[in-house]
């Protein structure tokens, strides 16, 4: 592909999701044939023809198994380019929270055709390397695609109003968690201090915006990462305990059992 932008990458495979150059990119995948099953957020999900998959944390996609006739179009977008391309609406935060739990949207025929059109427009703009306003055109194409994603999501799940202040706090809170700070800091007071708000206020915003407390999100990010690492048999329990700054293996084991429902050794059986 002749492109002068590394902010957007288009492929016909999900093999690279969460790895290499696109490790931190946001994946937007449209299934055009067949189906696949995978693990995400400790759940088994199905991705089938006509579905749209949007994944912000590619490394959470595990055990991806596709049918022989599986075909997909994928647009990876750099997070910073997504940020400048996202329409000026607070709906994105509601969408991000919902997609954390289930990144698959079932589209109807009209939505699927609109999505196919959006993908084609982004690809055309990506390849228009001689355009004087190349990046501006690409950004507008991505923005239109995102706006349609908002429309799809709102039609499926409904639209709630989120204040600008709450959306801003949640966005900054998630950025702190996305950076991996939960490996060393699992107290809500730490994140509240970073955001210059009180722990009580941060939890109130989280509950109002996502339906869950700030502590839930800290533990959820931590648990998902620990679960992923426990399945990596090249790492010892001691190494994982140290990575997350637990005071002892016993404390680590209790944390895993409390938040994941089983002891660490059960992941290696």
């Amino acid at each position: 592909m002749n492109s002068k932008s590394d902010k957007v990458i288009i492929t016909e495979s999900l093999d690279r999701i969460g790895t290499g150059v696109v490790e931190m990119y946001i994946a937007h995948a449209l299934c055009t044939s067949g189906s696949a099953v995978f693990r995400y957020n400790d759940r088994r999900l199905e991705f089938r023809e006509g579905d749209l998959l949007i994944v912000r944390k590619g490394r959470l996609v595990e055990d991806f198994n596709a049918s022989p006739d599986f075909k997909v179009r994928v647009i990876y977008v750099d997070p910073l380019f997504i940020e400048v391309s996202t329409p000026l609406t607070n709906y994105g935060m509601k969408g991000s929270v919902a997609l954390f739990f289930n990144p698959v949207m079932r589209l109807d025929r009209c939505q699927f055709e609109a999505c196919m059109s959006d993908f084609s427009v982004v690809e055309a703009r990506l390849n228009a390397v001689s355009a004087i306003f190349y990046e501006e055109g690409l950004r507008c194409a991505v923005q239109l695609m995102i706006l349609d994603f908002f429309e799809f999501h709102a039609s499926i799940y409904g639209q709630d109003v989120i204040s600008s202040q709450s959306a801003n706090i949640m966005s900054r809170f998630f950025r702190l968690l996305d950076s991996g700070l939960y490996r060393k800091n699992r107290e809500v007071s730490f994140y509240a201090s970073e955001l210059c708000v009180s722990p009580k206020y941060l939890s109130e915003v989280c509950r109002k915006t996502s339906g869950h407390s700030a502590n839930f999100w800290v533990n959820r990010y931590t648990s998902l990462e620990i679960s992923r690492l426990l399945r990596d048999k090249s790492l010892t329990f001691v190494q994982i305990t140290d990575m997350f700054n637990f005071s002892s293996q016993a404390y680590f084991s209790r944390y895993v059992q409390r938040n994941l429902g089983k002891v660490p050794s059960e992941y290696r059986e």
Side-chain angles (χ1 to χ4, degrees):
M1 178 174 295
N2 293 321
S3 164
K4 61 181 182 182
S5 173
D6 59 357
K7 298 178 178 67
V8 177
I9 298 172
I10 299 179
T11 73
E12 294 184 352
S13 169
L14 281 166
D15 292 347
R16 300 164 61 189
I17 191 167
T19 63
V21 175
V22 298
E23 180 179 2
M24 304 305 294
Y25 281 43
I26 298 168
H28 312 82
L30 185 63
C31 181
T32 58
S33 175
S35 64
V37 292
F38 62 98
R39 181 193 297 276
Y40 183 86
N41 204 347
D42 263 2
R43 295 177 60 203
R44 296 294 293 175
L45 299 174
E46 183 182 20
F47 180 39
R48 63 191 186 207
E49 182 177 350
D51 288 351
L52 174 65
L53 172 71
I54 303 178
V55 176
R56 299 187 65 89
K57 294 173 69 66
R59 66 177 180 272
L60 293 182
V61 175
E62 300 179 284
D63 303 330
F64 194 91
N65 291 297
S67 64
D69 59 340
F70 179 72
K71 292 183 181 179
V72 67
R73 297 183 69 186
V74 188
I75 296 181
Y76 292 102
V77 186
D78 179 272
L80 293 178
F81 196 66
I82 281 284
E83 190 171 328
V84 299
S85 302
T86 298
L88 295 176
T89 169
N90 294 330
Y91 189 80
M93 179 49 60
K94 175 181 170 63
S96 295
V97 170
L99 291 171
F100 179 87
F101 293 105
N102 186 355
V104 178
M105 282 192 279
R106 312 280 187 211
L107 305 184
D108 62 28
R109 173 50 56 181
C110 289
Q111 292 169 335
F112 177 78
E113 291 176 355
C115 196
M116 285 284 286
S117 176
D118 287 336
F119 274 45
S120 295
V121 170
V122 171
E123 185 170 17
R125 286 294 178 176
L126 184 66
N127 288 328
V129 293
S130 60
I132 296 174
F133 300 104
Y134 174 77
E135 187 157 322
E136 290 81 358
L138 181 59
R139 185 168 62 245
C140 287
V142 171
Q143 184 176 84
L144 176 61
M145 180 179 73
I146 295 171
L147 193 58
D148 276 344
F149 293 165
F150 287 175
E151 288 282 352
F152 303 158
H153 193 275
S155 70
I156 296 170
Y157 297 104
Q159 182 176 3
D160 294 333
V161 177
I162 298 174
S163 71
S164 296
Q165 183 177 7
S166 293
N168 177 263
I169 290 174
M170 281 297 292
S171 178
R172 289 162 56 208
F173 179 44
F174 281 163
R175 273 202 293 269
L176 291 174
L177 292 172
D178 284 335
S179 72
L181 285 173
Y182 55 85
R183 287 192 173 192
K184 303 296 182 182
N185 302 280
R186 286 181 289 278
E187 297 296 327
V188 172
S189 57
F190 168 82
Y191 295 94
S193 177
E194 291 291 305
L195 297 170
C196 299
V197 297
S198 70
K200 180 180 179 181
Y201 184 70
L202 176 57
S203 281
E204 287 176 353
V205 168
C206 286
R207 286 192 182 280
K208 185 182 297 184
T209 305
S210 70
H212 298 282
S213 68
N215 190 59
F216 166 87
W217 286 109
V218 175
N219 282 327
R220 192 59 182 166
Y221 268 75
T222 304
S223 298
L224 286 172
E225 181 76 354
I226 288 175
S227 175
R228 184 179 69 84
L229 294 174
L230 283 172
R231 286 191 288 271
D232 181 354
K233 295 183 179 180
S234 68
L235 295 172
T236 67
F237 295 152
V238 172
Q239 287 175 310
I240 300 174
T241 298
D242 291 342
M243 287 167 64
F244 286 84
N245 205 31
F246 285 101
S247 57
S248 67
Q249 277 191 262
Y251 180 29
F252 169 68
S253 183
R254 288 196 300 272
Y255 183 92
V256 172
Q257 187 164 23
R258 183 173 67 251
N259 289 281
L260 294 172
K262 50 187 177 182
V263 296
S265 60
E266 292 183 77
Y267 281 86
R268 302 291 171 90
E269 294 176 352

